[in-house]
């Protein structure tokens, strides 16, 4: 394998895959480094909104194939219950996917365009130098790779970003439990609940391949059981939930984004994109803005390859629309929910 690249991309989620696809098809020498073995698992509701399906078509030139979907394939939108129990219904056609398959599918398209991929290896150090970036990998040789630019698409954990910006961890913990059972709710919708008894952020319900999935997000992990129990009790009382069997449970993290969010675009020769930069829409919809920010970063690189300073300016400029979409979404949630209202602009 080579040592020198035009761009190294850390992280093979939808953000990294989009960036890799756009840059590789323009002829740049691109290396994607992914911490997990591929296809990697990602805790996710797997709701692909119409906007995301459009971005897959626009950036990757293909429709989302059935093989990455789970049942019910079609998602009809979101039903949102605010902190006072008031219901809002947003109708919009989308899809229901397993993230391991969806993300791997996007990455396979980037590979077809020429991107190289190393999986099962992390970026453990990054030197952001005047003329290039040097990264050290976690393999047994502690291999070193160099590139003109690093695009950090590492998701919520943000270890590379924190080492470069010296900033603190900023995320909520998500807990999802998967059950066999039945409930009187239409499985084609995604349901989000903002009642304070169920979570410190939001709680949600959806159906994947016949499994009933209940999630809560918390800042204090000692509260997970209490919130989950309250949520399950509410779903029993309100929607006739019966549980036969618990199939699995998982904890993950998500950036703690609020209506007053801040985006970190990059520093020196490193650009941040997707969740690590701070892109996340309300109710944890992060695939669309991850892909869009990955595209905006790639476009800035293509148009200003020789000028690191201009790249950051161009990336920020290219991101005005995705940032404004995110702002509008958060403002809408603030108007509907007191939980977020105090942070409205
Ligand atoms: C419980 C839950 C439910 C969600 N539901 C939805 C949903 O229904 N719809 C939606 O649109 N969004 C959803 N999201 C949000 C969505 O998953 C994220 O916003 C999206 O995955 C962000 O994409 P990304 O590429 O920026 O990061 P990720 O998808 O997290 O990808 C980052 C990748 O970087 C790798 N990595 C990390 N550190 C390193 C390193 N040092 N070196 C190399 N690789 C590294 C990771 O292993 C990972 O594969 C959900 C999130 C959670 C937690």
């Amino acid at each position: 394998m080579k040592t020198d690249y035009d761009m190294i991309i850390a992280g093979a989620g939808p953000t990294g895959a989009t960036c890799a696809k756009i840059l590789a098809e323009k002829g740049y020498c691109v290396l994607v480094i992914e911490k997990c073995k591929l296809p990697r698992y990602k805790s996710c509701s797997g709701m692909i909104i119409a906007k995301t399906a459009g971005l897959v078509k626009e950036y990757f030139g293909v429709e989302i194939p059935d093989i990455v979907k789970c049942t019910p394939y079609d998602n009809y939108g979101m039903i949102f219950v605010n902190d006072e129990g008031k219901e809002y219904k947003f109708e919009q056609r989308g899809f229901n996917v397993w993230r391991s398959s969806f993300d791997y599918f996007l990455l396979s398209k980037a590979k077809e365009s020429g991107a190289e991929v190393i999986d099962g290896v992390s970026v453990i150090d990054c030197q952001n130098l005047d003329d290039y970036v040097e990264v050290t990998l976690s393999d047994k040789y502690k291999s070193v790779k160099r590139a003109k630019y690093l695009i950090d698409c590492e998701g919520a954990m943000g270890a590379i970003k924190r080492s470069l910006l010296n900033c603190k961890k900023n995320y909520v913990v998500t807990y999802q439990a998967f059950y066999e059972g039945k409930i009187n709710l239409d499985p084609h919708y995604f349901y989000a609940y903002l009642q304070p008894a169920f979570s410190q952020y939001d709680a949600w319900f959806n159906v994947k391949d016949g499994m009933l999935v209940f999630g809560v997000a918390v800042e204090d992990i000692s509260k997970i059981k209490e919130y989950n129990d309250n949520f399950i009790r509410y779903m029993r009382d309100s929607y006739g939930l019966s549980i036969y069997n618990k199939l699995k449970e998982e904890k993950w993290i998500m950036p703690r984004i609020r209506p007053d969010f801040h985006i970190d675009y990059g520093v020196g020769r490193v650009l941040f994109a997707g969740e690590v930069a701070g892109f996340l829409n309300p109710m944890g919809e992060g695939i669309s803005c991850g892909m869009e920010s990955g595209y905006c970063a790639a476009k800035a690189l293509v148009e200003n390859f020789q000028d690191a300073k201009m790249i950051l300016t161009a990336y920020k400029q290219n991101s005005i629309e995705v940032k404004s979409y995110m702002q509008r979404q958060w403002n809408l949630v603030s108007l509907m929910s007191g939980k977020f209202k105090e942070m409205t602009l």
Side-chain angles (χ1 to χ4, degrees):
M1 263 206 154
K2 293 191 287 288
T3 305
D4 291 283
Y5 293 84
D6 292 324
M7 293 94 175
I8 293 176
I9 296 171
T15 309
T18 302
C19 228
K21 164 78 180 157
I22 302 295
L23 293 169
E25 75 186 356
K26 290 280 179 200
Y28 290 99
C29 187
V30 176
L31 173 65
V32 179
I33 299 165
E34 167 53 49
K35 178 170 81 174
C36 300
K37 274 278 170 204
L38 293 167
R40 64 96 170 85
Y41 187 77
K42 165 86 178 74
S43 178
C44 187
S45 305
M47 291 297 114
I48 299 296
I49 62 170
K51 183 176 185 190
T52 306
L55 295 174
V56 173
K57 181 86 181 135
E58 183 184 340
Y59 301 155
F60 293 83
V62 286
E63 303 289 347
I64 298 170
D66 284 351
I67 195 155
V68 310
K69 295 176 188 162
C70 48
T71 58
Y73 277 15
D74 297 309
N75 175 258
Y76 295 168
M78 183 165 111
I79 294 177
F80 176 101
V81 181
N82 80 357
D83 40 5
E84 288 163 0
K86 185 167 180 214
E87 198 175 291
Y88 299 82
K89 192 173 193 178
F90 298 94
E91 301 273 1
Q92 190 201 59
R93 290 282 170 147
F95 300 109
N96 189 9
V97 302
W98 287 116
R99 282 296 299 282
S100 47
S101 314
F102 175 77
D103 291 14
Y104 196 53
F105 163 71
L106 296 184
L107 188 68
S108 71
K109 295 286 154 200
K111 279 170 88 171
E112 282 170 19
S113 294
E116 281 181 37
V117 178
I118 309 181
D119 63 343
V121 169
S122 310
V123 172
I124 53 169
D125 185 56
C126 171
Q127 297 297 316
N128 196 357
L129 304 167
D130 284 347
D131 297 326
Y132 61 96
V133 177
E134 191 171 272
V135 299
T136 307
L137 308 188
S138 63
D139 60 11
K140 65 178 175 182
Y141 308 108
K142 299 285 170 288
S143 310
V144 169
K145 303 278 181 193
R146 279 182 292 272
K148 285 293 213 184
Y149 300 98
L150 173 75
I151 306 106
D152 178 8
C153 307
E154 63 181 314
M157 187 59 86
I160 304 169
K161 180 175 117 175
R162 279 185 284 112
S163 77
L164 291 167
L165 296 186
N166 203 17
C167 52
K168 290 191 186 134
K169 290 181 184 170
N170 185 27
Y171 45 69
V172 293
V173 174
T174 58
Y175 168 83
Q176 293 205 117
F178 295 67
Y179 299 98
E180 267 176 343
K182 62 175 189 191
I183 191 165
N184 301 324
L185 284 173
D186 184 343
H188 290 90
Y189 287 88
F190 177 82
Y191 299 83
Y193 301 86
L194 287 182
Q195 290 97 317
F198 308 153
S199 81
Q200 290 170 319
Y201 202 70
D202 64 341
W204 59 92
F205 165 71
N206 69 327
V207 176
K208 299 192 91 61
D209 280 346
M211 293 183 279
L212 309 184
V213 189
F214 295 90
V216 297
V218 299
E219 293 179 11
D220 173 359
I221 53 168
S222 71
K223 299 268 189 194
I224 286 176
K225 185 170 171 3
E226 178 188 327
Y227 284 120
N228 183 59
D229 288 352
N230 290 346
F231 187 35
I232 297 288
R233 202 174 309 117
Y234 169 81
M235 296 304 261
R236 270 199 185 116
D237 296 344
S238 307
Y239 306 109
L241 167 68
S242 316
I243 289 173
Y244 311 141
N245 193 15
K246 188 186 212 172
L247 300 166
K248 62 168 180 162
E249 57 188 346
E250 63 197 20
K251 289 196 194 101
W252 215 264
I253 56 168
M254 191 187 271
R256 186 182 174 282
I257 309 278
R258 297 285 177 129
D260 64 344
F261 65 86
H262 163 80
I263 304 289
D264 288 311
Y265 290 94
V267 55
R269 290 181 169 271
V270 179
L271 304 188
F272 305 119
E275 272 194 351
V276 72
F279 286 101
L280 184 69
N281 292 313
M283 308 307 110
E285 193 283 304
I287 302 174
S288 69
C289 52
M291 291 178 68
E292 276 190 294
S293 66
Y295 175 82
C296 293
K299 187 166 179 279
L301 283 157
V302 169
E303 288 169 356
N304 304 275
F305 184 71
Q306 300 300 343
D307 187 339
K309 280 205 182 98
M310 264 312 291
I311 287 168
L312 271 178
T313 310
Y315 175 29
K316 211 169 171 173
Q317 183 70 25
N318 295 345
S319 305
I320 287 175
E321 181 44 42
V322 55
K323 194 177 165 202
S324 139
Y325 175 89
M326 185 174 152
Q327 190 74 68
R328 291 196 301 277
Q329 298 285 308
W330 276 106
N331 286 349
L332 182 66
V333 172
S334 302
L335 292 172
M336 291 189 296
S337 161
K339 201 163 175 172
F340 294 98
K341 201 173 279 164
E342 75 273 15
M343 315 203 57
T344 323
L345 294 177

